[in-house]
Amino acid sequence: MGREVAESCIDGVIIEMVSAYCKRFYATKPELAARRIEAIGYQVGHQLIERYTVERPRFSDHLEAIKFICKDFWSELFKKQIDNLKTNHRGTFVLQDNRFRWLTRVSIDPSLDISEASQDSSVVTPENKAAEATSMHLYFPCGIIRGALSNLGIPCAVSADISNLPACSFVVRVKA
């Protein structure tokens, strides 16, 4: 029997990690915070995929590995499979999770004054602030996916798209 941790503990650790990197360690440099959060996710994904594939034969192609990520790996992490997988058969895959669990608990700071933001276009709006805060939380799972695929011998770039919360699409572009 494998070791398990309560989901709420994992959620809390991830929220605190993102908060620490964005507000304390790299408060003035969000791009560095994003890079560091993604790097931590990469290490986690790299190690987890090794644990979950130790008794499996190597994957024959990229699609087979991506399907494993969508079904088995995602099920281990989130207790559900990816809802939809699309590909253009030229190295781009879109993994759609219609209810990404780590986005269901994200909220923004209500102390932002909406009236101030609407008068000056250079001020960050609450919508932009929410999108930025949410995107910071997505660097970690992007890193997990990239690390897992890298360990499977698939170098790639992973980005996330959040157009309809809590739905999330992860776009995987395999490097040639």
Side-chain angles (χ1 to χ4, degrees), residues 56-83:
R56 284 187 55 95
R58 289 302 261 174
F59 297 105
S60 60
D61 64 354
H62 295 340
L63 183 59
E64 188 180 333
I66 295 285
K67 284 181 180 178
F68 177 82
I69 295 290
C70 292
K71 292 179 181 178
D72 301 316
F73 188 70
W74 211 256
S75 293
E76 287 290 331
L77 292 178
F78 301 108
K79 309 295 185 240
K80 69 185 280 293
Q81 294 182 1
I82 284 286
D83 295 307

Side-chain angles (χ1 to χ4, degrees), residues 17-28 30 33-34 37 136:
M17 174 191 62
V18 171
S19 176
Y21 277 96
C22 293
K23 294 179 181 172
R24 280 180 260 156
F25 304 139
Y26 300 106
T28 60
I37 293 166
M136 291 307 268

Side-chain angles (χ1 to χ4, degrees), residues 108 110-120 123-127:
I108 70 161
S111 65
L112 262 182
D113 186 4
I114 296 172
S115 61
E116 281 181 27
S118 62
Q119 291 176 2
D120 183 2
V123 175
V124 177
T125 65
E127 292 80 17

